[in-house]
Amino acid sequence: MNIILFGPPGAGKGTQADNLVRDYNFFKVSTGDLLREEIKNKTPIGKKIKSPIDQGSLVSDTLIAQLLEKIFLDKNYSNRMIFDGYPRNLNQAKNLENLIKKHNQKISCILSLNVDLDTIIKRILGRKICSKCGNIFNEFFNPSTPSNHRCDPKFLQMRSDDNVNTIKSRFATYEKETLPILKYYEGMKLLHQIDGIMEIDQIYGQIRGIIDSL
Ligand code: AMP
């Protein structure tokens, strides 16, 4: 089964994807994480994409298509992918459909987390990511503590695009380019709308209910 986690930046897609990876045999495909890895490793791609990411716009579809093609070629990930932050526009949604067909797979459901801009700003400004284990925490909603996180707190970092200006333009990019995909998926009857304002565990409970029923 492959799943798409859909929603604005800060909706909790990464957190819920991590929960699913922990409890089911899923593999998380976060294009944002893949791009940040390129920046961290200072690759030629990383140098090109830093500026659009810091401005809150999308990087090129061609580059994203190349990253995805590589993932699909690895048979270890077949039919156990959770897409987090992908697809981001209609062109990417169509490209995903082609990849799915070409590699004989299917999308089982699309989970859309709905959250308003004020909540997003608060969530994103509290977001801290551990550079050692990759886990995501939130100063206000889900702080790192010795019982839920073993790494030294010195590894907790904010993302360079987690500031108010970039958040607003990321949200605007989402509304303009990403939201129209929902209409496209509504026609496919795979879509589940989830109230993303609820507590992390409540949201996860709903997600589990949907996945277990498939
Ligand atoms: P995320 O970690 O999903 O919030 O993504 C962080 C940033 O990476 C976005 O604001 C975009 O600039 C870029 N990005 C991530 N995924 C994509 C994608 N599928 N297409 C284009 N740009 C992306």
Side-chain angles (χ1 to χ4, degrees):
M1 153 182 336
N2 296 300
I3 295 175
I4 297 176
L5 272 174
F6 191 88
K13 302 185 294 295
T15 302
Q16 298 301 341
D18 289 343
N19 283 340
L20 290 167
V21 167
R22 185 194 60 215
D23 296 338
Y24 296 80
N25 187 29
F26 282 119
F27 175 75
K28 173 163 101 165
V29 180
S30 158
T31 42
D33 284 352
L34 293 170
L35 296 170
R36 278 183 289 279
E37 204 51 35
E38 298 281 344
I39 294 176
K40 192 168 129 201
N41 294 333
K42 298 194 167 67
T43 64
I45 291 176
K47 285 179 190 155
K48 253 202 247 168
I49 59 179
K50 180 148 179 27
S51 158
I53 288 185
D54 283 343
Q55 283 163 18
S57 41
L58 297 182
V59 311
S60 86
D61 288 346
T62 315
L63 171 59
I64 297 292
Q66 284 165 2
L67 293 177
L68 264 293
E69 184 74 54
K70 249 196 245 166
I71 302 269
F72 269 86
L73 283 173
D74 192 327
K75 295 296 165 225
N76 286 322
Y77 307 145
S78 280
N79 277 316
R80 52 180 286 250
M81 293 182 273
I82 306 178
F83 298 104
D84 160 12
Y86 171 85
R88 245 3 195 248
N89 58 28
L90 271 176
N91 191 27
Q92 291 183 13
K94 288 182 181 155
N95 188 53
L96 174 60
E97 217 180 300
N98 289 337
L99 282 169
I100 290 275
K101 269 191 205 136
K102 180 171 153 194
H103 294 273
N104 227 347
Q105 297 195 42
K106 72 172 203 170
I107 298 289
S108 300
C109 72
I110 297 150
L111 305 170
S112 175
L113 301 178
N114 305 320
V115 187
D116 61 280
L117 180 57
D118 285 347
T119 308
I120 283 170
I121 291 177
K122 194 155 179 219
R123 280 193 187 164
I124 291 187
L125 291 181
R127 176 157 64 187
K128 292 274 160 63
I129 299 167
C130 176
S131 60
K132 194 164 179 215
C133 68
N135 282 348
I136 308 168
F137 299 93
N138 190 293
E139 246 171 61
F140 312 117
F141 305 110
N142 174 34
S144 154
T145 63
S147 60
N148 66 9
H149 186 211
R150 290 191 178 172
C151 308
D152 194 303
K154 73 178 181 198
F155 292 111
L156 291 171
Q157 291 177 352
M158 278 189 85
R159 279 169 42 176
S160 68
D161 56 345
D162 279 353
N163 59 73
V164 175
N165 283 343
T166 311
I167 295 166
K168 286 186 176 161
S169 67
R170 279 157 64 196
F171 191 74
T173 303
Y174 168 78
E175 288 200 306
K176 184 164 166 252
E177 305 202 35
T178 310
L179 211 46
I181 304 178
L182 269 192
K183 279 253 158 305
Y184 176 72
Y185 283 137
E186 266 164 13
M188 295 183 183
K189 310 242 179 298
L190 295 172
L191 186 61
H192 298 260
Q193 301 276 4
I194 296 171
D195 178 4
I197 306 284
M198 295 185 296
E199 303 268 320
I200 293 173
D201 289 348
Q202 284 178 298
I203 297 174
Y204 187 49
Q206 284 208 358
I207 291 179
R208 288 195 77 141
I210 294 167
I211 290 177
D212 293 342
S213 73
L214 293 173

